[in-house]
């Protein structure tokens, strides 16, 4: 039985359409979150199908317990490790994989998680709260250069050096341990910002991406997805940030045998594909105007879809 779902899943219909759940087989929701996409996939899958969800967030594991459908299984793991996670339950090949990258609304809205500057809370930002340093831990020891690099590269923040200097100066007076404390430091450091965006938006985004190794996780997940997919199996990826989307776009084009190297991603491993392994399915999909009106957080989302080729198809292209 499917428990009620209150979280608004972005590009729900479009992402599920891309995986054609009506065909059955084994599907993977690599970023379960609160289960919106999983519930819709299960609603549309035949009785013989199977859905395996993966997430590293303990709150996601709690939400997964609300789904008692016998076709459904949940694995507590990082989505970048999905190959070994699936192997642990005897699955080596699947018919579709969905990845919804980034932080979810419930995580943003929970002040105790420290993702948002809109509410005061501990400066944590970890998606897996059992592993790794918190944002406060990192901020306490990072050099000015490291702070600048992360805020500039992952936040695409033009005032990165100024913000880094303000953080270093502020932590000499007292530890930076609260979200509103950091937000106020950034706000004082950045005197100008275009209408509609809080001055701390990009800094919080950058630190969160760094703490959770989100871009590295994404690259690992893409690499793991290809050998897992059966011929004609599909990969659907939803991103919310330009760096994430750039990685997905470049990787898909490379695997389709189309892409030149992107110098903006020179810090990440590049892939050279002699033979196409996937085909691109349509163009990237953005939320409709109606979806953005009902859920403003969806406005930056992009969905990209690829289908794995059979070995002889790759040689024919």
């Amino acid at each position: 039985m499917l428990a009620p779902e209150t979280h608004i899943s972005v590009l729900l219909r479009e992402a599920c359409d891309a995986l054609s759940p009506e065909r059955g087989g084994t599907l993977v929701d690599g970023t379960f979150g609160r289960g919106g996409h999983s519930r819709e996939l299960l609603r549309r899958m035949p009785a013989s199908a199977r859905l395996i969800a993966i997430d590293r967030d303990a709150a996601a594991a709690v939400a997964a317990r609300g789904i008692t459908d016998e076709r459904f299984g949940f694995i507590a793991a990082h989505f970048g490790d999905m190959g070994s996670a699936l192997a642990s339950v005897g699955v080596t090949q699947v018919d579709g994989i969905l990845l919804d990258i980034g932080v979810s609304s419930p995580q943003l809205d929970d002040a105790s998680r420290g993702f948002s500057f809109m509410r005061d809370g501990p400066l944590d930002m970890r998606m897996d709260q059992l592993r790794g340093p918190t944002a406060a831990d990192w901020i306490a020891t990072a050099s000015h250069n490291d702070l600048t690099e992360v805020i500039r590269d992952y936040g695409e923040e033009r005032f990165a050096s100024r913000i880094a200097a303000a953080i270093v100066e502020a932590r000499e007076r007292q530890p930076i341990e609260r979200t509103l404390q950091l937000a106020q430091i950034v706000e004082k450091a950045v005197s100008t910002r275009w209408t509609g965006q809080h001055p701390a938006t990009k800094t919080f985004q950058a630190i969160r991406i760094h703490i959770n190794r989100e871009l590295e996780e994404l690259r690992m997940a893409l690499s793991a997805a290809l050998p897992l997919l059966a011929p004609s199996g599909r990969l659907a990826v939803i991103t919310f940030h330009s760096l994430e989307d750039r990685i997905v776009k470049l990787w898909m084009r490379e695997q389709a045998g189309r892409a030149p190297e992107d110098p903006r991603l020179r810090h990440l491993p590049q892939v050279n594909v002699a033979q196409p392994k996937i085909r691109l399915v349509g163009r990237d999909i953005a939320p409709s105007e109606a979806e953005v009106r009902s859920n403003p957080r969806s406005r930056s989302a992009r969905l990209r879809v690829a289908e794995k080729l059979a070995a002889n198809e790759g040689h024919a292209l």
Side-chain angles (χ1 to χ4, degrees):
M1 183 175 181
L2 306 187
E5 171 57 29
T6 56
H7 167 56
I8 302 173
S9 297
V10 174
L11 291 166
L12 179 63
R13 177 183 57 80
E14 294 86 347
C16 292
D17 284 349
L19 297 187
S20 301
E22 296 82 1
R23 296 185 305 175
T26 299
L27 301 182
V28 174
D29 183 349
T31 47
F32 179 77
R34 297 303 178 268
H37 290 107
S38 281
R39 288 179 172 85
E40 177 63 13
L41 289 169
L42 285 167
R43 188 185 70 79
R44 294 167 55 173
M45 292 167 65
S48 59
R50 183 181 185 187
L51 174 64
I52 302 171
I54 298 170
D55 207 295
R56 56 176 154 175
D57 191 330
V62 173
R65 289 200 286 271
I67 300 179
T68 57
D69 192 312
E70 63 182 12
R71 298 170 298 170
F72 177 77
F74 179 83
I75 305 172
H78 290 226
F79 71 92
D81 297 329
M82 78 170 106
S84 58
L86 291 169
S88 72
V89 294
V91 175
T92 58
Q93 193 168 76
V94 301
D95 301 286
I97 299 171
L98 172 63
L99 300 176
D100 184 0
I101 308 303
V103 65
S104 68
S105 290
Q107 289 171 320
L108 285 170
D109 294 337
D110 183 351
S112 70
R113 302 299 300 271
F115 287 112
S116 174
F117 49 79
M118 301 302 292
R119 299 171 180 82
D120 190 38
L123 200 53
D124 191 320
M125 293 196 189
R126 292 173 300 169
M127 292 184 183
D128 181 350
Q129 292 184 293
L130 299 177
R131 294 171 60 177
T134 66
D137 293 334
W138 180 71
I139 286 172
T141 59
S143 68
H144 174 272
N145 286 344
D146 287 344
L147 287 162
T148 300
E149 191 172 290
V150 165
I151 296 169
R152 180 193 65 219
D153 293 352
Y154 294 159
E156 299 180 302
E157 171 61 78
R158 63 191 180 106
F159 299 115
S161 181
R162 189 190 304 178
I163 292 168
I167 290 172
V168 171
E169 181 182 352
R171 77 186 183 195
E172 291 176 355
R173 296 192 296 271
Q174 63 177 322
I176 303 171
E177 298 176 336
R178 309 289 296 181
T179 54
L180 290 188
Q181 186 184 5
L182 177 60
Q184 289 164 3
I185 292 167
V186 176
E187 195 167 10
K188 289 178 182 177
V190 180
S191 57
T192 59
R193 176 64 75 208
W194 52 90
T195 302
Q197 187 177 66
H198 190 284
T201 300
K202 293 186 174 185
T203 297
F204 269 68
Q205 170 185 279
I207 294 173
R208 188 205 82 218
I209 288 173
H210 173 72
I211 290 297
N212 294 290
R213 299 180 65 249
E214 291 178 35
L215 301 187
E216 292 90 341
E217 282 278 324
L218 173 57
R219 191 75 195 217
M220 288 169 60
L222 294 173
S223 296
L226 194 55
L228 283 169
L229 284 171
S232 300
R234 286 191 172 184
L235 171 66
V237 187
I238 301 171
T239 60
F240 291 83
H241 182 273
S242 60
L243 289 177
E244 297 166 349
D245 183 56
R246 209 173 290 155
I247 289 170
V248 175
K249 178 182 178 179
L250 176 63
W251 182 87
M252 285 187 173
R253 289 181 62 86
E254 283 176 333
Q255 298 298 330
R258 296 188 185 183
E261 182 176 335
D262 188 335
R264 293 170 295 185
L265 295 175
R266 59 185 177 275
H267 60 291
L268 292 172
Q270 298 298 311
V271 181
N272 293 313
V273 178
Q275 196 63 46
K277 297 179 180 178
I278 63 173
R279 71 175 184 89
L280 307 182
V281 180
R283 299 178 61 85
D284 61 302
I285 300 171
S288 66
E289 292 182 7
E291 180 169 3
V292 173
R293 282 196 301 271
S294 65
N295 181 16
R297 285 176 176 168
S298 70
R299 63 185 176 276
S300 61
R302 292 294 181 274
L303 169 66
R304 296 184 184 274
V305 183
E307 183 176 294
K308 186 172 181 177
L309 297 172
N312 58 341
E313 287 184 278
H315 287 284
L317 292 180

